[in-house]
Amino acid sequence: MSTRIVIVGNGMAGARLAGELHAREGDRKVTVLGAEPHRAYNRILLSTLLAGRIGEPDVELTEAAGHGIDTRTGVPVTTVDRSAREVRTADGERIAYDHLVLATGARAVVPSLPGLDPTDLPPRVVPFRTLDDCRRIIAAADGARSALVLGGGLLGLEAARGLATRGLTTTVVHHTGHLMERQLDPAASAVLAGTLAGLGVTSQLAVPATGVVADDTGVRLDLADGRSLRADLLVLSCGVRPDTALARAAGLTVRRGVVVDDRLRTDDRSISAIGDCAEHDGTLTGLVAPAWAQARVLADVLTGTDPLARYRPRPVVTRLKAAGIDLAAMGDAVGGEPGEELTFTDPARGTYARLRIRDERLVGAILLGDNPAVGTVIQLFDRGHPVPADRRALLLGRALGGTAAAPAASPALMPDAATVCQCNTVTKGALVRCWRSGARTVDAVVAATRAGTGCGGCRDAVGGIVDWLSEAESVEVTR
């Protein structure tokens, strides 16, 4: 009898797990139940869709299909019956499982402000989280001239840049004194705010919102300092909260998220949780790379491919790559631990760099603007390798003589073990092997390795490696 695995959630974590299960041998039936009425899509690319640079087909994920896979969209799960080992859907269907996986993700936070009812938001006030949200924002932006974005975190800035790209005068309102305060220090935030201003996005910082008034003609956002800002559209980007309602109702242990162990199991051994809804070792993920790593581990465990597989979080790198902005932040770049610290700032060119080094290892970094060493810095941080003696090459992207930092100068100098795609943990060696196996275009390499299908920030690097391999073959042939 085949094993029945039910996955609740058809987002980036749930869809990836279905694909990982499908790729492994064994007799099993996998049922994926997605509350959203769409095919699985890449949430990271919604800001690019909002900017109008891609269409909806470009955000769709390749879903597992074929024998043993049953994916259903628009099917919310309302109840988990642990004693009967079945889930119940909104239309009354009961679906039995041998193992249940909760991949319910997270929901956008609607702030508790006068004028905002989370269950009935005005038409011109929209959160930015789902594909439907993105569609509503695009519809509201059509014919609009101005927009406000409440929230200056990563997603809020991506939304603001997308709206500005559509030609809207855009203002970000943030309650703290600097943008992306979880990843950036005040100096980096100031440079980023200057870069955004040059791209049509102004920032109002250290000023909480106190109320919203919205109707069919526009939106007014009242601020704590007594001012009011008016616009045609208000986008809410105030963080997310793990969707734990099903788990909590089922009696599973829930803190901030659904508590799981190193094998991604809850306190019910027949139920696992992955992605944004899961809390591992007291930490929520909130990013695609950890979710996909969890999917790989859980697939190995459930299929017996590697019963001893364990989830081990990797260092997190935050990337903001929007038109005109290139930002990488990683590790403890703003902490107070003793160590070596190097900074460089050039606001006129929108450039900022900060490195924190301890025991000859990079423990944190912020790189904003055009820095050719960004790939090398990420590799050093990710792999924990010693930093070079010439710190200037990392900080400035070039040595004093003007030559680029050697590790980033050519793919030929990059070790095969270097991780090119952080989201999918794809190394340079894997890309080279894929190319030598017959995938001779960027699209073919991406399809075979999944590199570039997460945040998309490594797409240029993948293209550079494919170009380098093609040129090397051409030289060999002409000889």
Side-chain angles (χ1 to χ4, degrees), residues 122-466:
R124 292 181 178 271
V125 179
V126 190
F128 185 38
R129 175 66 180 171
T130 67
L131 178 58
D132 282 339
D133 292 337
C134 194
R135 288 171 172 173
R136 285 193 289 268
I137 294 171
I138 291 172
D142 186 22
R145 293 183 297 178
S146 59
L148 298 170
V149 177
L150 185 58
L154 177 65
L155 194 59
L157 298 186
E158 289 182 341
R161 184 67 188 110
L163 290 166
T165 301
R166 287 185 172 270
L168 279 69
T169 301
T170 306
T171 301
V172 173
V173 178
H174 196 46
H175 66 284
T176 67
H178 64 281
L179 301 169
M180 291 181 64
E181 71 276 7
R182 293 184 179 179
Q183 295 88 14
L184 304 185
D185 57 19
S189 170
V191 175
L192 178 57
T195 299
L196 287 166
L199 298 171
V201 178
T202 58
S203 303
Q204 297 287 338
L205 303 176
V207 55
T210 57
V212 175
V213 178
D215 56 30
D216 291 340
T217 63
V219 181
R220 189 188 81 210
L221 183 66
D222 297 329
L223 306 180
D225 60 8
R227 291 180 298 149
S228 294
L229 303 178
R230 288 173 170 80
D232 299 317
L233 167 67
L234 172 62
V235 174
L236 303 177
S237 183
C238 304
V240 297
R241 184 173 293 116
D243 190 346
T244 60
L246 269 180
R248 196 180 297 275
L252 300 174
T253 300
V254 175
R255 296 191 185 112
R256 289 187 299 160
V258 185
V259 176
V260 297
D261 61 16
D262 290 349
R263 300 176 70 184
L264 290 314
R265 300 177 304 185
T266 67
D267 43 1
D268 183 328
R269 292 298 181 258
S270 63
I271 303 178
S272 299
I274 61 173
D276 290 354
C277 72
E279 178 182 330
H280 172 265
D281 197 22
T283 302
L284 301 172
T285 61
L287 296 171
V288 62
W292 284 354
Q294 290 175 355
R296 287 193 296 271
V297 169
L298 185 55
D300 282 341
V301 171
L302 292 181
T303 62
T305 303
D306 181 4
L308 299 180
R310 298 293 185 270
Y311 172 63
R312 296 287 184 265
R314 293 173 58 87
V316 173
V317 179
T318 300
R319 298 299 303 269
L320 172 58
K321 285 184 70 70
I325 306 172
D326 192 351
L327 168 66
M330 62 208 78
D332 182 20
V334 297
E337 292 287 334
E340 183 180 350
E341 186 168 306
L342 302 92
T343 60
F344 171 79
T345 181
D346 185 353
R349 291 181 172 82
T351 301
Y352 179 85
R354 179 173 182 173
L355 306 178
R356 298 192 69 248
I357 299 167
R358 189 181 308 126
D359 298 328
E360 293 301 304
R361 263 64 175 179
L362 191 67
V363 296
I366 300 170
L367 298 175
L368 174 61
D370 183 17
N371 190 321
V374 63
T376 302
V377 171
I378 291 175
Q379 291 170 31
L380 289 171
F381 173 74
D382 184 60
R383 302 187 66 81
H385 286 174
V387 297
D390 184 3
R391 315 291 208 237
R392 297 165 298 179
L394 296 179
L395 187 67
L396 307 177
R398 60 190 75 252
L400 285 180
T403 57
S410 166
L413 302 176
M414 184 187 299
D416 281 353
T419 302
V420 178
C421 176
Q422 298 289 326
C423 295
N424 290 286
T425 320
V426 181
T427 64
K428 174 204 166 185
L431 296 174
V432 171
R433 290 190 295 274
C434 178
W435 188 87
R436 287 175 176 166
S437 297
R440 297 306 174 92
T441 67
V442 173
D443 287 344
V445 169
V446 167
T449 65
R450 290 173 169 166
T453 61
C455 71
C458 67
R459 186 85 181 203
D460 289 345
V462 174
I465 291 172
V466 171

